[in-house]
Amino acid sequence: RYDTMKLSVLDLFKIGIGPSSSHTVGPMIASARFIEKLLAAAGTTRIARIEVALYASLAWTGKGHATDRAVLLGLSGERPDSVTGERIEDIVSRYEREQTLVLPDGTVLPFPPGDLLWLR
């Protein structure tokens, strides 16, 4: 019964970053979960390189919809519902300067643009 059910706006919508949530929120969460599980399983001593392959619509339109930034943020351990604009700019600026990825535990890995594959 609708009259006894209490819903919040957050039950209907997710908090995230844009410009297109399907190209940012999903890839960011997937990247964050991946790195979390990888660090738990392997630790950073066994990680030398990370390569990301994007397929289908993420590969075709992801560049214009900030999928690359979302993946970078997720691999850095950020989540769409908690990352701040300042943190986004810090991570992206560092990446543009150094082409490195800083994992959630502080480990720095090379992450050249060629390690993000747009497989159309």
Side-chain angles (χ1 to χ4, degrees), residues 25-102:
V25 174
M28 190 173 175
I29 291 171
S31 299
R33 286 181 183 166
F34 167 79
I35 201 66
E36 184 179 286
K37 289 180 186 244
L38 181 64
L39 291 173
T44 53
T45 58
R46 299 183 59 202
I47 303 170
R49 178 176 171 223
I50 294 175
E51 184 178 89
V52 177
L54 300 171
Y55 296 89
S57 68
L58 293 178
W60 281 102
T61 62
K63 197 105 174 146
H65 288 112
T67 303
D68 48 348
R69 290 171 58 122
V71 167
L72 179 64
L73 293 167
L75 291 174
S76 299
E78 299 297 333
R79 299 284 181 152
D81 60 346
S82 61
V83 68
T84 64
E86 182 179 334
R87 184 80 178 124
I88 291 170
E89 291 310 314
D90 288 347
I91 292 169
V92 171
S93 293
R94 179 184 174 137
Y95 173 74
E96 289 172 348
R97 279 191 322 273
E98 303 173 13
Q99 294 185 347
T100 58
L101 173 65
V102 181

